[in-house]
Amino acid sequence: MSLLNVSASPHIRSSESTQTIMTDVIIALIPATVFGIYNFGARAAIIIITCVTACLLSEYLFEKICKRKNTCRDMSAVLTGLLLALNLPATVPFWMPVVGGIFAIIVVKQLYGGIGQNFMNPALAARCFLVISFSKLMTTFAIEPAKDDVDRIMKGLSGVNGYAFKDGVSQATELAKVKAGESIDLLSAFLGTHAGTIGETSAAALLLGAGYLLYRRVISLRIPGAYLITFTAYITIYSLIKNGSVSGNYILSNLFLGGLMIGAFFMATDYVTSPVTPAGKIVFGIILGLLTGLFRTAGGSAEGVSFAIIIGNLLVPLIEKVTMPVPFGVVKAKKKEAKNNG
Amino acid sequence: MKKHTFKGGIHPYDGKEMSKSKPIKTLPAGDVMVYPLVQHIGAPAVAAVKPGDKVLMGQVIGNAGGFVSSNIISSVSGTVKAVEPRLTVSGSKVMSIVIENDHEDRAIDGLYEDVDYTTLTKEQIRARVKDAGIVGMGGAGFPNHVKISPKDDSAIEYVIVNGAECEPYLTSDYRIMLEEGEKVRDGLKVMLSLFENARGIIAIEDNKPDCIKNMMKLCEGEDKIEVIALKTKYPQGAERKLIYAATGRKINSSMLPSDAGCIVDNIDTVCAIYMAVCKSTPLMRRIITVTGDAIKEPQNFSVRIGLDYEELVKAAGGFTCEPEKIISGGPMMGMALFDIHIPVTKTSSALLAMSKDEVAENEPTACIRCGRCIAACPSNLVPVKMLEYSDRFDEEGFVAIGGMECYECGSCTFVCPAKRRMTQSFKQMRRAILDKRRRG
């Protein structure tokens, strides 16, 4: 008989791994990805592929050069690439996803120690980096209509809102219109046939993916729930104070438009950069809701989700510190201490 | 029926179908039986025999070495061959009494004698339990006479029989409840006679509906005994979780169940109490599940304490393939063996042979802070932070975040998608801290 394995208990492991979790998130992003390609054409597909490739290659090469263990198989770099691509407008030049991917993986993730060690969401940090560095390119949602898009216009479909035409004048985003006080087409906002980044426009597709993640228990409702409720409360109160009234159109369009849905369900819930404590998740969600509301209503841009989450990420260690759960059966430590001291 | 439970926990594959339908089969004793003098928590027992002595079945061969200690009983008759260190489950060598079995089963006077427990005083009952060498057979091995001697008998409000059997693969308690349920009931009645204000609760996980039904039928008309269903979830049978599920009371690591007015005993222990008090039979046997995918015919055995583990494997038809890992106990809290020649002790509950070792298969990777360990922790701890402290041997930090409330159930490590070996780390840390505390 060969030697027996000996180790401390437990001797069994669940079938879930980092890889299966990352793959689940990627699966959950498929509806939004497919819709993005449908909405913005082949260009969107190229950007997605470029982004994922850039991220994977950066991860591979960096780990190779640093003689670290290759972690490409855990799918996290693929996920980062996909998330970053979905957060880019389809109009960006093709070098941008490459720069973004390298920044996300090498600067935000690997330089801090690789998976699990980054304190900001790599995809979002890269997006913010691009927005700050190339703000014009990142906020221009104009593109020449592809041939099939022309066909769609002929058929009278509304899937062309995302484009401005050959004159190259970019269209104001729907969110900017909302901010300006306009009422917008809610169905289009929900389905996503309007301007925006590749993956953020369709609330419907994102919610479908979010449902999958909740069903698979990859995420819980704590962060997105607290986030969306707080944000809704904020803009409701804001509208009441500013206009003395609030309309359903205003609230819903604020929820459906911009990066809120993808942010709440796919970015804010990123394990590495959100609190691990259950209470902390709720606090985190509330902070994100308030920040997003603040940025959207008072900020220079109509958008605020990315920066809200990035700033929220920085608060995570603090949030965790104050939301540590009390161990089972232990009466509140503070009271006990006070008693002992007194 | 209301299902009692707790917050947290996990649902591992339970593997019980392999052996649950197999009735308890009594195994013959071996030619040589080994009795380690440490089969319990507390002071080691002191050998009462020396090489060459003749011993009888049921004879005390090791005397309790203090109040928190336990007698060791010979389960066969024969000759003492040696008193020497022998390998035990824990992997260390322990002073043991080795007896050559003469296969005559000559018994001490009065063994198996029927006694009506209602004619005994509390002191007599406790003395019988102490003499019988009964310890907590759920795994910890806490001497039972200590457990049933709280400061104030009248403060005990619940005697809880732990029939959760939440460890995967184990079916020994299941078989006992089905086949020897009346012993469980009567053992509980004996215990209730010690505590005038106590009610008895038999708590069983709802994956054993036949046991719940059987115990309910047997306890009909017993107005002080209640059978309750627990939600099937690991670690439902952990003492603190069981007390919470059954009574809603919470205890922590620095409290005893009696501080919450509870006494908790495992199924086989309650049977042993019945046998000791009503049948004058000390603790000489254990019901053991021999199972796992590397075992040919998984089943449940009634085994005499002292028997070599290899006999169990043989009785179960041997191995189907070469096992990669052999575990004494369940897969969540059992101990891996590097040698199968180990004697059955009072705390043995199962022998599990696995063709695959999931621990070796899964190399740990970086933590992704998913928080699954926190959701799974039945003690409401933050294992991910505890691991940070234990990785850098920060004992103060480890204790400050409640590390000592951990009872190493393994739930965090089971769910970890990064396959980090958390429980292993916590075990080392806790042992080091406890050692230091003990030395003062």
Side-chain angles (χ1 to χ4, degrees), chain A residues 211-249:
Chain A
Y212 175 78
L213 288 185
L214 288 168
Y215 168 74
R216 297 275 296 162
R217 300 196 180 194
V218 172
I219 62 170
S220 75
L221 264 179
R222 286 196 182 91
I223 293 174
Y227 189 173
L228 295 178
I229 290 169
T230 311
F231 175 73
T232 310
Y234 179 95
I235 55 162
T236 308
I237 294 167
Y238 172 82
S239 172
L240 281 174
I241 291 171
K242 195 177 165 221
N243 308 324
S245 69
V246 62
S247 70
N249 187 293

Side-chain angles (χ1 to χ4, degrees), chain A:
Chain A
M1 197 154 99
S2 63
L3 288 176
L4 292 165
N5 282 2
V6 178
S7 66
S9 63
H11 306 288
I12 47 174
R13 298 285 189 265
S14 77
S15 56
E16 244 179 347
S17 68
T18 304
Q19 193 187 7
T20 64
I21 291 169
M22 296 295 166
T23 310
D24 264 344
V25 183
I26 292 168
I27 291 172
L29 281 169
I30 287 177
T33 309
V34 169
F35 184 84
I37 296 170
Y38 161 79
N39 203 21
F40 297 104
R43 204 181 161 83
I46 298 170
I47 286 173
I48 292 168
I49 292 166
T50 316
C51 224
V52 170
T53 314
C55 284
L56 260 179
L57 267 180
S58 306
E59 176 126 320
Y60 175 78
L61 289 175
F62 189 91
E63 286 172 340
K64 185 105 188 164
I65 292 165
C66 295
K67 299 199 170 66
R68 286 193 196 160
K69 216 177 125 192
N70 181 338
T71 56
C72 289
R73 281 191 178 184
D74 67 19
M75 301 298 279
S76 62
V78 177
L79 178 58
T80 300
L82 182 58
L83 273 174
L84 174 59
L86 296 184
N87 275 289
L88 297 176
T91 49
V92 293
F94 290 128
W95 55 264
M96 259 180 55
V98 178
V99 172
I102 293 171
F103 184 84
I105 294 296
I106 292 183
V107 179
V108 188
K109 185 179 173 190
Q110 290 296 349
L111 285 186
Y112 286 91
I115 184 165
Q117 299 297 319
N118 48 291
F119 60 88
M120 278 185 186
N121 184 324
L124 264 192
R127 173 186 146 89
C128 291
F129 160 74
L130 293 176
V131 167
I132 293 167
S133 311
F134 315 101
S135 56
K136 185 135 191 292
L137 289 171
M138 283 294 286
T139 49
T140 305
F141 298 102
I143 195 173
E144 292 186 3
K147 173 103 176 38
D148 54 7
D149 294 325
V150 177
D151 293 339
R152 275 157 62 201
I153 298 162
M154 299 314 239
K155 285 183 193 148
L157 292 175
S158 58
V160 292
N161 295 356
Y163 307 94
F165 299 105
K166 287 211 167 165
D167 54 7
V169 177
S170 68
Q171 202 176 329
T173 62
E174 301 287 290
L175 201 55
K177 289 188 206 159
V178 173
K179 193 174 183 182
E182 283 177 44
S183 182
I184 57 116
D185 177 8
L186 276 182
L187 185 66
S188 147
F190 182 66
L191 293 178
T193 49
H194 56 84
T197 67
I198 296 171
E200 74 177 11
T201 59
S202 175
L206 290 166
L207 284 173
L208 194 66
Y212 175 78
L213 288 185
L214 288 168
Y215 168 74
R216 297 275 296 162
R217 300 196 180 194
V218 172
I219 62 170
S220 75
L221 264 179
R222 286 196 182 91
I223 293 174
Y227 189 173
L228 295 178
I229 290 169
T230 311
F231 175 73
T232 310
Y234 179 95
I235 55 162
T236 308
I237 294 167
Y238 172 82
S239 172
L240 281 174
I241 291 171
K242 195 177 165 221
N243 308 324
S245 69
V246 62
S247 70
N249 187 293
Y250 179 74
I251 291 174
L252 287 176
S253 53
N254 252 306
L255 285 174
F256 295 154
L257 291 172
L260 188 60
M261 284 298 159
I262 193 169
F265 288 103
F266 292 92
M267 301 294 212
T269 54
D270 172 35
Y271 291 148
V272 178
T273 53
S274 63
V276 287
T277 56
K281 287 183 201 287
I282 290 171
V283 173
F284 183 65
I286 292 172
I287 290 174
L288 296 189
L290 291 176
L291 285 178
T292 307
L294 197 67
F295 293 162
R296 277 198 178 177
T297 53
S301 148
E303 184 53 273
V305 173
S306 305
F307 286 99
I309 296 176
I310 288 288
I311 292 169
N313 289 163
L314 299 179
L315 296 173
V316 165
L318 189 64
I319 297 172
E320 280 179 357
K321 207 170 172 182
V322 298
T323 54
M324 287 292 274
V326 181
F328 181 90
V330 173
V331 203
K332 278 217 170 140
K334 271 183 198 157
K335 270 188 199 163
K336 226 179 181 178
E337 259 169 44
K339 233 186 243 170
N340 291 344
N341 295 339

Side-chain angles (χ1 to χ4, degrees), chain B residues 75-149:
Chain B
S75 59
V76 293
S77 62
T79 317
V80 177
K81 236 172 67 176
V83 180
E84 61 184 20
R86 285 292 185 108
L87 192 66
T88 59
V89 165
S90 65
S92 56
K93 286 194 168 180
V94 168
M95 198 51 91
S96 306
I97 295 167
V98 183
I99 292 178
E100 195 167 346
N101 186 4
D102 61 14
H103 293 285
E104 287 176 23
D105 283 354
R106 284 172 292 119
I108 52 165
D109 287 341
L111 194 72
Y112 305 135
E113 195 177 286
D114 281 322
V115 173
D116 180 4
Y117 74 91
T118 53
T119 64
L120 300 174
T121 65
K122 284 186 183 181
E123 283 62 42
Q124 282 171 321
I125 291 177
R126 287 190 173 115
R128 288 176 85 89
V129 169
K130 182 174 193 291
D131 293 344
I134 296 174
V135 301
M137 285 148 83
F142 189 72
N144 206 260
H145 61 275
V146 183
K147 202 184 252 187
I148 58 173
S149 311

Side-chain angles (χ1 to χ4, degrees), chain B residues 387-402:
Chain B
L387 188 64
E388 281 172 23
Y389 287 114
S390 57
D391 275 352
R392 57 178 124 94
F393 299 101
D394 180 348
E395 294 182 1
E396 245 170 66
F398 185 82
V399 172
I401 59 165

Side-chain angles (χ1 to χ4, degrees), chain B residues 3-165:
Chain B
K3 281 180 192 161
H4 303 256
T5 191
F6 65 97
K7 198 173 135 269
I10 53 169
H11 297 94
Y13 162 68
D14 83 347
K16 291 185 195 283
E17 76 279 355
M18 283 192 223
S19 57
K20 69 187 283 191
S21 60
K22 307 285 170 56
I24 298 170
K25 195 171 140 192
T26 304
L27 283 191
D31 297 334
V32 175
M33 305 289 274
V34 178
Y35 305 89
L37 289 168
V38 178
Q39 303 189 21
H40 50 263
I41 288 179
V46 181
V49 290
K50 54 185 189 306
D53 285 2
K54 298 269 179 208
V55 293
L56 300 172
M57 183 164 74
Q59 184 181 330
V60 175
I61 51 174
N63 285 313
F67 180 59
V68 184
S69 183
S70 183
N71 286 347
I72 307 291
I73 317 288
S74 174
S75 59
V76 293
S77 62
T79 317
V80 177
K81 236 172 67 176
V83 180
E84 61 184 20
R86 285 292 185 108
L87 192 66
T88 59
V89 165
S90 65
S92 56
K93 286 194 168 180
V94 168
M95 198 51 91
S96 306
I97 295 167
V98 183
I99 292 178
E100 195 167 346
N101 186 4
D102 61 14
H103 293 285
E104 287 176 23
D105 283 354
R106 284 172 292 119
I108 52 165
D109 287 341
L111 194 72
Y112 305 135
E113 195 177 286
D114 281 322
V115 173
D116 180 4
Y117 74 91
T118 53
T119 64
L120 300 174
T121 65
K122 284 186 183 181
E123 283 62 42
Q124 282 171 321
I125 291 177
R126 287 190 173 115
R128 288 176 85 89
V129 169
K130 182 174 193 291
D131 293 344
I134 296 174
V135 301
M137 285 148 83
F142 189 72
N144 206 260
H145 61 275
V146 183
K147 202 184 252 187
I148 58 173
S149 311
K151 269 180 239 145
D152 179 7
D153 287 349
S154 61
I156 299 301
E157 293 168 66
Y158 298 99
V159 175
I160 304 169
V161 181
N162 186 352
E165 196 161 59

